[in-house]
């Protein structure tokens, strides 16, 4: 069975600074995908970034980038130039298998200090 | 132009009642999901339907019964509600490949008194 672990329940960052959120996972599947979802107080789940496991190149989306270490089964999210609107719960998720279900980590609550 | 919609957004009810949550997607996706987010914010898959066929049932009590009348709709009916059913329920949809993003609805906060 797949598991996703987020070891940082809460993180804090100053506006305009950089923060890294950690995620590790375990899977025996060879074909899978990894995601970071953001959940602001509105509770809407918003996809931040996606990484295909077969790609060695780390995904980037504007200020968001990942450090994907397949052998270590690590998938961290880096947020550069943090903004007040980045304050939210961030979930790491594994997707794959025949049913494409998402397995979520327990989340990291990110606070952004002005 | 809402992509995935859920009704109602809030639901407060008494223990023992039966309630339904409706979900609709206008993205043309072939797969729909129900997730439960508990009070500690943990998200867990409950069910998934692909082209109206059940493909995931994650050991959810049989008081929970999903129904998919067509590809665009996946409803969740809950019988004999219990206090522990209080949670936020999210509907999501995707094209059934792992590469594709799952689009989430706004969630339904269910409170059982």
């Amino acid at each position: 069975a797949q598991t996703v672990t987020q070891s940082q329940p809460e993180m804090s960052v100053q506006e305009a600074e950089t923060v890294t959120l950690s995620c590790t996972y375990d899977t025996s599947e060879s074909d899978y995908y990894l995601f970071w979802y953001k959940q602001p107080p509105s509770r809407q789940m918003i996809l931040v970034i996606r990484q295909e496991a077969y790609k060695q190149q780390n995904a980037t989306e504007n200020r968001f980038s990942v450090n994907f270490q397949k052998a270590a089964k690590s998938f961290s999210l880096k947020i550069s130039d943090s903004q007040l609107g980045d304050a939210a719960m961030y979930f790491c998720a594994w997707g794959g298998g025949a049913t494409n279900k998402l397995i979520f980590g327990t989340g990291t609550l990110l606070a952004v200090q002005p | 132009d809402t992509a995935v919609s859920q009704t109602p957004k809030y639901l407060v009810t008494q223990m023992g009642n039966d309630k339904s949550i409706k979900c609709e997607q206008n993205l043309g996706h072939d797969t729909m999901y129900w997730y439960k987010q508990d009070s500690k914010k943990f998200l867990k898959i409950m069910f998934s339907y692909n082209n109206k066929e059940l493909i995931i049932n994650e050991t959810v009590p049989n008081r929970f019964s999903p129904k998919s009348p067509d590809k665009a709709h996946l409803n969740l009916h809950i019988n004999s509600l219990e206090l522990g059913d209080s949670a936020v329920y999210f509907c999501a949809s995707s094209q059934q490949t792992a590469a594709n993003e799952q689009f989430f609805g706004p969630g339904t906060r269910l409170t059982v008194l």
Side-chain angles (χ1 to χ4, degrees), chain A residues 58-73:
Chain A
N58 288 325
T60 63
E61 286 287 342
N62 301 314
R63 299 183 294 108
F64 298 87
S65 61
V66 299
N67 183 2
F68 175 46
Q69 302 289 327
K70 190 172 184 178
K73 294 181 179 173

Side-chain angles (χ1 to χ4, degrees), chain A residues 29-63:
Chain A
E29 299 273 353
S30 56
D31 186 19
Y32 57 91
Y33 298 79
L34 297 163
F35 305 86
W36 279 98
Y37 276 86
K38 168 185 177 182
Q39 187 178 39
S42 67
R43 82 169 180 241
Q44 180 68 52
M45 295 288 291
I46 302 163
L47 180 68
V48 174
I49 199 163
R50 169 177 53 219
Q51 173 79 43
E52 292 89 341
Y54 64 86
K55 287 188 177 178
Q56 291 188 337
Q57 187 172 4
N58 288 325
T60 63
E61 286 287 342
N62 301 314
R63 299 183 294 108

Side-chain angles (χ1 to χ4, degrees), chain B residues 22-62:
Chain B
K22 296 185 177 182
C23 178
E24 177 180 1
Q25 56 96 1
N26 62 6
L27 298 167
H29 290 160
D30 59 4
T31 306
M32 297 184 72
Y33 311 81
W34 278 109
Y35 290 87
K36 178 180 180 180
Q37 185 173 42
D38 64 22
S39 59
K40 295 183 179 176
K41 302 287 190 184
F42 184 62
L43 272 154
K44 186 172 165 57
I45 183 80
M46 298 174 69
F47 299 104
S48 175
Y49 271 75
N50 175 257
N51 284 317
K52 303 195 297 175
E53 181 182 343
L54 181 67
I55 58 171
I56 298 175
N57 182 342
E58 288 283 318
T59 60
V60 176
N62 57 16

Side-chain angles (χ1 to χ4, degrees), chain A residues 19-20 24-25 28 31 56-57 62 67 74 78 83 85 87 92 94 96-97 103:
Chain A
V19 65
T20 298
T24 58
Y25 62 95
S28 57
D31 186 19
Q56 291 188 337
Q57 187 172 4
N62 301 314
N67 183 2
S74 170
K78 185 171 83 170
Q83 300 175 359
C92 178
W94 178 100
I103 306 296

Side-chain angles (χ1 to χ4, degrees), chain A residues 6 10-11 18 22 26 32 42-43 61-63 71 78 87 101 107 109:
Chain A
Q6 293 179 250
E10 297 182 11
M11 292 282 284
T18 295
S22 301
D26 193 21
Y32 57 91
S42 67
R43 82 169 180 241
E61 286 287 342
N62 301 314
R63 299 183 294 108
K78 185 171 83 170
K101 66 181 179 183
L109 183 62

